[in-house]
Amino acid sequence: MTVASVAFTALLVMVGCGKNEGSGSAASNTDLVAAGKAVFDANNCARCHIVAGQGNPRGRDLTRVGADPKHTMQWLIEHVKNPRAHNPNSTMPAFEGKISEQDLKALGAYLSSLK
Ligand code: HEC
């Protein structure tokens, strides 16, 4: 076995463990967070926001947006739907009616997981 193939095998084992982690309700939460990340990407939130160094710094850096106790899933969903409800001067576009309720829920789970 070459060094490269050992490293590759180790990687496969790590990926496998990550998948096993989420059994039961944890699995559905992991799935929701992953679905929310896809909603974030599909709506191009990164054109104004940075998450973990990726994106544009027009809006706030969202890398740790879920760490603030005020930022509950509900608050985050409301902010995406209508940013001016929280901040009358916000220049962020309202996504109400543009993102389905189901996708907003996933997006809220994703954003609140960022901490
Ligand atoms: C045209 C630029 C733009 C786009 C696109 C955009 N945002 Fe924003 N966003 C902002 C700006 C500017 C702020 C800061 C002002 C405010 O509080 O609304 C902000 C604030 C936020 C906040 C509040 C952060 C905090 O700490 O208070 C969240 C959460 C957020 N955006 C999520 C999103 C998500 C999710 C998307 C994609 C669906 C998105 N944004 C798309 C510009 C944008």
Side-chain angles (χ1 to χ4, degrees):
M1 230 187 206
T2 65
V3 174
S5 68
V6 170
F8 185 61
T9 307
L11 187 70
L12 284 181
V13 170
M14 276 156 59
V15 170
C17 289
K19 283 207 176 118
N20 290 340
E21 236 171 57
S23 53
S25 65
S28 53
N29 193 49
T30 310
D31 291 350
L32 203 59
V33 168
K37 165 109 181 55
V39 174
F40 189 90
D41 292 342
N43 287 280
N44 212 359
C45 309
R47 93 187 142 94
C48 294
H49 290 288
I50 291 185
V51 174
Q54 301 275 317
N56 286 304
R58 272 181 74 182
R60 301 234 173 102
D61 187 322
L62 299 181
T63 305
R64 290 178 51 78
V65 72
D68 185 332
K70 191 180 83 176
H71 292 169
T72 59
M73 234 177 103
Q74 198 51 44
W75 188 98
L76 292 160
I77 291 172
E78 274 166 16
H79 197 90
V80 174
K81 282 166 96 169
N82 183 12
R84 272 168 292 282
H86 291 153
N87 175 358
N89 300 321
S90 180
T91 53
M92 172 167 156
F95 285 86
E96 183 145 43
K98 295 186 184 148
I99 303 179
S100 72
E101 286 299 320
Q102 199 185 337
D103 282 358
L104 280 168
K105 202 175 150 214
L107 188 56
Y110 168 63
L111 292 171
S112 61
S113 79
L114 299 174
K115 43 182 123 178

